[in-house]
Amino acid sequence: MKPTDEPTVQQLFDLTGKTVLISGASGYLGGAMARGLAEAGARLVVSSRDAQRAEQTASEMPDPHQVGHIGVALDHMEEASIEEGFETAVKEAGQIDVLVNNGNAAVGEDWRNATAEAFSRHLQNATGYFLLARKLRDHVVEHAAAGSVIMIGSMYGVVGSYPDAYEGICNASPVAYHTMKGGLIHQTRHLAVYWAKDNVRVNCLSPGPFPSEAAPAGLAERLSEHSPMGRMGKPSELKGAAVFLASDASSYITGQNLLVDGGWTSW
């Protein structure tokens, strides 16, 4: 006989009553994760460097419970914008329970031609993730609430890439990207052990190969050759992982890196 106070699986994954701040929700993967969180009942606060784009993205999200998603201007690469944007998010939404650090200012140069300026600029993504995570931690502690931070990493924060996958098609995957994503995974572990006593969980969700239609011709086929599942990921395949880490279904999980990579890092 099951205990009367044991939550059901449906209750564990239900995000009704939760507010999620997600950056980069207008992007290829961010959009899918944001839709999954909204479909699970969460109210979204969508951030973008451009306020109009944020509001447009928020208006296009599913809203099964008519909670009213919000768009705010926030550039995670600029400290002043983080301060102002988070304050606006709290003012408009009230309580924020979950942060999904998904925004990414990309870098195009590989190890052959990356400048010091471009390399350092890309590492600023990790700085922004930390500053936003600390804002969420301070916010929920102030309200004596629980919080969940989800960093978006990458399989390339765990393993190196295959040079032959890119040869003759495009630049190698940027060394600054590998460095930044690897650092985010360890940042996750570090913050998790310090914030556990504050009832704030910190985990990382690391996608594997999910090239969009804008990827160079032939790249998906090359990458598929290195995947145990023999194919690329579909954005919708990140929905479940995002909801899992945001919800009470993962209430005893912190400091972990969840790879959604079709087995890529299992080789």
Side-chain angles (χ1 to χ4, degrees), residues 19-21 43-47 70-74 81-99 132 134-143:
T19 299
V20 179
L21 170 59
R43 184 186 195 190
L44 301 181
V45 178
V46 173
S47 73
I70 300 167
V72 298
L74 190 157
S81 181
I82 289 171
E83 293 286 335
E84 183 178 349
F86 193 87
E87 182 179 336
T88 300
V90 171
K91 182 179 179 180
E92 295 197 20
Q95 178 74 28
I96 296 176
D97 308 285
V98 180
L99 167 66
L132 264 172
R134 187 169 63 182
K135 295 293 289 186
L136 187 280
R137 178 263 171 205
D138 292 349
H139 169 71
V140 297
V141 167
E142 181 183 348
H143 291 81

Side-chain angles (χ1 to χ4, degrees), residues 27-65:
Y28 180 62
L29 300 185
M33 289 187 286
R35 288 189 294 274
L37 294 163
E39 288 161 358
R43 184 186 195 190
L44 301 181
V45 178
V46 173
S47 73
S48 172
R49 285 182 283 270
D50 180 77
Q52 187 174 357
R53 185 176 186 183
E55 292 167 2
Q56 178 67 26
T57 301
S59 70
E60 295 171 350
M61 288 293 153
D63 192 359
H65 302 306

Side-chain angles (χ1 to χ4, degrees), residues 12 27 31 34 47 58 98 112 152 156-157 165 197 200 218 230 265:
L12 288 171
S47 73
V98 180
R112 296 176 180 84
I152 302 302
Y156 281 162
K197 68 180 186 303
V200 176
T265 56

Side-chain angles (χ1 to χ4, degrees), residues 12-191:
L12 288 171
F13 282 92
D14 186 10
L15 292 175
T16 302
K18 301 291 186 182
T19 299
V20 179
L21 170 59
I22 178 169
S23 60
S26 62
Y28 180 62
L29 300 185
M33 289 187 286
R35 288 189 294 274
L37 294 163
E39 288 161 358
R43 184 186 195 190
L44 301 181
V45 178
V46 173
S47 73
S48 172
R49 285 182 283 270
D50 180 77
Q52 187 174 357
R53 185 176 186 183
E55 292 167 2
Q56 178 67 26
T57 301
S59 70
E60 295 171 350
M61 288 293 153
D63 192 359
H65 302 306
Q66 300 299 302
V67 293
H69 305 307
I70 300 167
V72 298
L74 190 157
D75 182 354
H76 76 281
M77 299 290 281
E78 302 293 338
E79 185 173 5
S81 181
I82 289 171
E83 293 286 335
E84 183 178 349
F86 193 87
E87 182 179 336
T88 300
V90 171
K91 182 179 179 180
E92 295 197 20
Q95 178 74 28
I96 296 176
D97 308 285
V98 180
L99 167 66
V100 182
N101 266 322
N102 173 68
N104 180 60
V107 60
E109 300 92 340
D110 66 8
W111 63 267
R112 296 176 180 84
N113 53 19
T115 64
E117 181 181 3
F119 194 100
S120 297
R121 173 68 177 172
H122 197 63
L123 297 185
Q124 184 70 22
N125 282 289
T127 303
Y129 277 26
F130 163 65
L131 294 175
L132 264 172
R134 187 169 63 182
K135 295 293 289 186
L136 187 280
R137 178 263 171 205
D138 292 349
H139 169 71
V140 297
V141 167
E142 181 183 348
H143 291 81
S148 175
V149 175
I150 304 171
M151 308 288 194
I152 302 302
S154 170
M155 68 180 187
Y156 281 162
V158 178
V159 296
S161 63
Y162 291 96
D164 61 354
Y166 301 88
E167 191 67 36
I169 293 180
C170 60
N171 284 347
S173 54
V175 61
Y177 181 83
H178 284 247
T179 304
M180 187 270 288
K181 291 297 187 179
L184 278 175
I185 293 168
H186 200 61
Q187 181 184 125
T188 295
R189 300 186 185 107
H190 185 78
L191 297 180

